[in-house]
Amino acid sequence: MIGLGKMLTIEILFEKMEAIDLEEVITIEQASFSSPWTKEMFYSEFFDNPLSFSYVARSDDQVIGYLFFWEVVGELHLMNIAVAGLYRRKGIAQRLIEKMIEIGRGRAISKIFLEVRAANVQALSLYQKLHFYQIGIRKNYYHSPKEDAIVLQYNFGPNEICHFERSEKS
């Protein structure tokens, strides 16, 4: 259950994406990013990429968020995540990332990597809360507008808490 106001709560399901979800996912993508993935990129990722996993957050049979990640040689790489405008800042992105972490634990994954725009303070705060820490910067990684990417990592196992505490102190 997710609270949307003083008295309003909704049930959110987190489940594997289905082909029928792609049009709603693309709509969320286009409303969320200045350089959105194209329809062809989504379809290729969903149908043609054996490394790709995709999940949606659904409420009342409507897709309200999604994520795509890859599994490559014992590691996960978060490729894309977004939540529909009306549902942002309600914990949905966090739950999607937690779903990815849960899947990683079940598959004996060692690390998760991702890139995030340097100016995306809200996302950086969320990732830090979930124990991701900075390992680098990719200069001019993004365009429209041109911007650096912060490269983040999450470690499974006993080191994940240690890394988070270290990043909080700096």
Side-chain angles (χ1 to χ4, degrees):
M1 295 288 223
I2 301 285
L4 292 180
K6 288 185 179 185
M7 303 296 281
L8 182 61
T9 59
I10 59 170
E11 184 175 353
I12 308 288
L13 300 173
F14 296 87
E15 52 196 20
K16 279 189 160 186
M17 187 181 296
E18 299 175 14
I20 196 166
D21 298 326
L22 285 167
E23 290 304 318
E24 288 178 280
V25 164
I26 291 165
T27 299
I28 294 169
E29 174 82 2
Q30 291 172 341
S32 298
F33 299 108
S34 58
S35 296
W37 280 13
T38 65
K39 182 176 185 174
E40 293 77 17
M41 291 167 74
F42 276 105
Y43 276 74
S44 176
E45 192 72 20
F46 187 81
F47 291 109
D48 302 330
N49 186 345
L51 305 175
S52 187
F53 292 75
S54 52
Y55 287 82
V56 294
R58 189 184 315 279
S59 176
D60 293 329
D61 292 326
Q62 177 185 350
V63 173
I64 60 172
Y66 63 88
L67 90 153
F68 282 84
F69 61 92
W70 289 2
E71 180 180 347
V72 182
V73 193
E75 300 173 350
L76 300 183
H77 192 109
L78 177 60
M79 301 304 294
N80 197 339
I81 183 170
V83 174
L86 291 175
Y87 298 92
R88 291 186 187 144
R89 303 186 60 80
K90 309 288 184 209
I92 295 166
Q94 178 174 334
R95 295 276 307 279
L96 283 164
I97 295 165
E98 289 169 344
K99 180 73 172 171
M100 178 180 62
I101 291 170
E102 174 188 321
I103 291 165
R105 280 199 178 99
R107 297 177 69 85
I109 297 298
S110 63
K111 299 173 185 172
I112 301 173
F113 296 97
L114 64 89
E115 293 88 12
V116 61
R117 283 185 181 270
N120 192 341
V121 177
Q122 291 176 338
L124 285 165
S125 175
L126 171 62
Y127 293 129
Q128 184 179 28
K129 177 181 176 183
L130 292 170
H131 301 203
F132 285 80
Y133 62 97
Q134 182 175 334
I135 61 168
I137 297 174
R138 297 190 197 280
K139 291 287 186 190
N140 300 316
Y141 184 79
Y142 294 104
H143 55 85
S144 296
K146 189 175 248 184
E147 188 172 352
D148 295 346
I150 304 297
V151 183
L152 300 177
Q153 179 176 321
Y154 174 96
N155 289 337
F156 290 89
N159 293 330
E160 62 190 271
I161 301 301
C162 175
H163 285 292
F164 178 67
E165 290 172 352
R166 184 173 65 226
S167 68
E168 275 190 329
K169 291 177 186 171
S170 26

